[in-house]
Amino acid sequence: EYSALQNPLFRPGLDYWLETKRTLLQPHDTMPAEMAAQLESSLLNCPDSLDADTPKLYQTPLSLPHPTSIFFPNETIRLVSNDPVDPSKNHQKHNDIYSRTSMGRIMSKFDLDTLFFIFYHYQGTYEQFLAARELTIRGWQFNKLNRCWFYKEVEKLPPGMEQSEEISWRYFDYQKSWLARRCGADFVYREEEFERI
Amino acid sequence: LGIDLTPVLQSLGISSNANGRQRVLDTFPSPWVETSRSEVEPRFFVPE
Amino acid sequence: TNQEKMFLVFTEWVKLLQRVPDDDVKVTVFIRQMMDKGVIKSTENVIQFTKAAIELSVGSFKESDPASEVFIAADAFSKLIVKLLVVQVFTSLSRSEYLKLMLSVITIVFSEDQGMTGNSFNERPYFRLISSLLCQWEEASAHNFIKVQDQSYRNELIDFSPEFYNIIASFLHAFQPIAYPGFSFAWITLISHRMFLPKMLRLPGKAGWSKLVLLFTDLLKFMAQYTKKSDVPDAVSVVYKGALRVFLAVANDAPGFLVENHYELLNNLPPVYMQLRNVILSAIPKNMVLPNPYDAELRISDVEACQHVPNVYYDPVQDLKSLKKPVDNYLRIPSASLSRMVSTSLFKPGYEKDTGIGYDSVSVDTKLINAIVLHVGIEAALEKDKTTATAIFNTKSSYYTLLTSMLSDGNTEVRFHVVQAIANQLRFPNAHTHWFNYVLKNFFISEDWGQDTAEIQEIIVRTLLERVVTNKPHCWGIVVTFTELLRSSECSIMTLPFVKDIPEIEHIIKHL
């Protein structure tokens, strides 16, 4: 009787909706044939993992122009793998939800070049995220200001020297040379410049 | 009497190793094995 | 017509989202224009537009080539819903009301679709809409809506987010399998969705737990309703398989949820689902290591964890109704009249079909019995903390004698369900397991049952046996209790008539 429900847009949907309340209050003792048929139909149409996957309406083109073979497939291969995780990996990120996914595992086999390519060319994507994760696992850090990945190299010096270790920094030059380069002697590490991943 | 749950747990990616316990619901493709043939994209975050 | 205009606008929206990224300024401008031009300015318009959008989404799915992208419109619609929740300023209507309004319209269209199409109803576009809605909300809300610049809007959205999930849960409750059997499999997939279930489990303050228990109860009720002993439809077996996997996943990721909600979950669990019951009751708090229950040297009173009282999320006292006063009064000052009042209130007005092992109907209020037993256990544990252990580990304590009077006053059926309710509390090492272990052991060796001794002992043995004879998991408390009884020198189980007179049982007990 509420005026809102008098809306003609709601007929006959509202009537069907009310019917279901009756069933809820008094469920059938044994499953009627019609219900069994509907249940069967639901089973046949059961949504699968593709139906449940994250929607992608706009396909981002590669973020930086870079030649790629037309023979490479557009879809990423995401096969289900239930191989147990290697317990010898002790980095905390090794035990996160991504370590079990096939993409996460494939990334751990990629070399740095491939990881940087994915990071810079697939911006805003799940793949970029995983590449960043893998780089972090390998000890690289992302600088928010110059958008480069940096790596701290610690070299143990022979005993008897003034210092026990020598620290040098490298960064990956994605804009020009596409190579890892040593940082100049004037490089100063400032923690706040780096993304906490 | 139920069934031996070991293969069921395996299909879920749940290891019997208590130390290696990982969450499975965040990457759960479907309640049934038959409809879990491909992985689903889990939540993730890309900083600005 | 207005409807045609709505269709056009929505179609433009779908096209736009395929051409630009969703954080492009054009997307926000489009929405602003929708509002300025009155497409979604009033409640009436919102209703009309929502109806048009869902009808187009479902229609385009039905008409699309199955090999193509069939969900583009549904995905675009769910993105629109999220955008509308995030970018709008809510003055006359709250965010919650707005979302409920849109979901209500979708519900009515959904009802009409399934009502008109019957067996040829296709659940997939509706599933996709909600699935995508959950994915896109997750993206929008990541890191506490960090992409939202304005801090006060950000705070509003952060406050709203748990509401979002609970509203979705409420609508899923309305779509439950008993109401919409044609949506059953989509429904189960939705309640276990990676963007819904773990979120609901982990909302701060357990804000999602009540609704989750409701949804799991809906699932269990459906399974219970349609599991008759001999002819379980194949589809219901498939439902069970899925349900089992979901519960196993929850037991792995969030055992605390099963630990704290075992009472409500078991109230709706069909008794024949022995293994599923064990799965729920064997959940143990994360990081707890169980002492070996088969260890001959194990003394349950020495297990440190038995000092801790487990949390019970839903207080069973709410289910005692008119018996709350008599029970609590008895626990303070026991009297025969009070215990009699309890014992005579355990029956239901009539018989109800139920599928148990060895029985197919129930005339007692099992929910009430479960409530009384758990409530007494909760109160006993509280008493122990307030006073001493001897106050409750005492066959003269009111906690113990209330349960004994229920057994001695009751018939076979009452006794069976009381013992079952006690067995449901024999879980991981905790104060309840500890006390109920004491209760059951003493019930078994008690000499106060007179002629009823054999029956009560048989019920106890049967109850414990049926829980260990199934495939694993087995509850720690059940194994410990049963092991103690088997090893008991005070009363050798092997000499009991219901064991030695039945070769199969004798064989099993001997083996154990």
Side-chain angles (χ1 to χ4, degrees), chain C residues 2 82 89 101 107 149 159 183 199 204 206 267 308 310 332 415 489 509:
Chain C
N2 244 8
V82 171
V89 174
L101 178 64
T107 302
Q149 305 276 353
D159 286 341
F183 194 65
K199 201 74 193 200
K206 300 171 183 170
N267 269 337
H308 300 289
R332 260 200 317 272
R415 290 170 180 163
S489 51
I509 301 285

Side-chain angles (χ1 to χ4, degrees), chain A residues 46 48-50 53-54 56 78-80 82 85 94-102 125-126 128-129 195, chain B residues 10-13 21-24 26-27 29 32 35-47:
Chain A
C46 186
D48 63 9
S49 45
L50 290 170
D53 208 358
T54 308
K56 300 250 181 283
R78 290 201 259 133
L79 306 166
V80 171
N82 283 320
V85 181
H94 278 125
N95 221 28
D96 63 12
I97 62 174
Y98 311 99
S99 60
R100 299 178 54 250
T101 63
S102 57
T125 63
Y126 177 52
Q128 181 195 32
F129 164 81
E195 186 74 57
Chain B
Q10 231 168 27
S11 78
L12 284 165
R21 179 191 272 202
Q22 289 181 309
R23 296 208 288 243
V24 302
D26 299 276
T27 49
W32 297 276
T35 41
S36 298
R37 300 239 184 269
S38 62
E39 287 184 353
V40 284
E41 186 180 286
R43 63 180 158 77
F44 67 96
F45 178 72
V46 171

Side-chain angles (χ1 to χ4, degrees), chain C residues 325-335 338 383 398-399:
Chain C
K325 269 218 160 76
V327 167
D328 283 343
N329 287 343
Y330 181 95
L331 292 178
R332 260 200 317 272
I333 303 169
S335 81
L338 283 171
E383 175 69 36
S398 58
Y399 305 92

Side-chain angles (χ1 to χ4, degrees), chain C residues 257-269:
Chain C
F257 175 77
L258 296 179
V259 163
E260 296 194 36
N261 291 291
H262 76 300
Y263 166 75
E264 281 195 281
L265 291 171
L266 253 63
N267 269 337
N268 294 286
L269 184 60

Side-chain angles (χ1 to χ4, degrees), chain A residues 7 9-14 16-17 20-21 23-24 27-31 34-35 37-43 45-47 50-55 57-58, chain C residues 17-21 44 48 51 71-72 75 107-108 111-112 115-116 119 121 123-124 127-128 131-132 136 176 178-182 184-185 194 225-226 228:
Chain A
N7 194 321
L9 288 177
F10 295 154
R11 292 249 131 60
L14 197 58
Y16 287 114
W17 176 80
T20 68
K21 299 304 170 195
T23 323
L24 280 170
H28 306 283
D29 250 359
T30 44
M31 196 180 285
E34 193 193 324
M35 186 184 192
Q38 287 172 339
L39 188 61
E40 280 292 325
S41 164
S42 173
L43 173 54
N45 286 322
C46 186
L50 290 170
D51 283 4
D53 208 358
T54 308
L57 284 156
Y58 174 74
Chain C
L17 283 189
Q18 293 176 271
R19 288 184 174 68
V20 302
E44 181 63 35
Q48 254 197 327
K51 191 164 192 285
F71 294 126
I72 292 178
D75 290 347
T107 302
I108 290 174
S111 299
E112 180 176 339
M116 305 276 274
N119 300 348
F121 172 71
E123 61 200 331
R124 289 175 67 211
F127 169 84
R128 179 69 176 203
S131 169
S132 293
Q136 284 156 345
Q176 63 181 286
I178 288 182
Y180 295 95
S184 300
F185 287 86
R194 70 193 181 287
Q225 192 67 26
Y226 300 112
K228 299 299 178 202

Side-chain angles (χ1 to χ4, degrees), chain C residues 62 190 226-228 290 359 388 449:
Chain C
K62 287 180 181 171
L190 282 172
Y226 300 112
T227 306
K228 299 299 178 202
L290 298 179
Y359 63 94
T388 64
W449 306 122

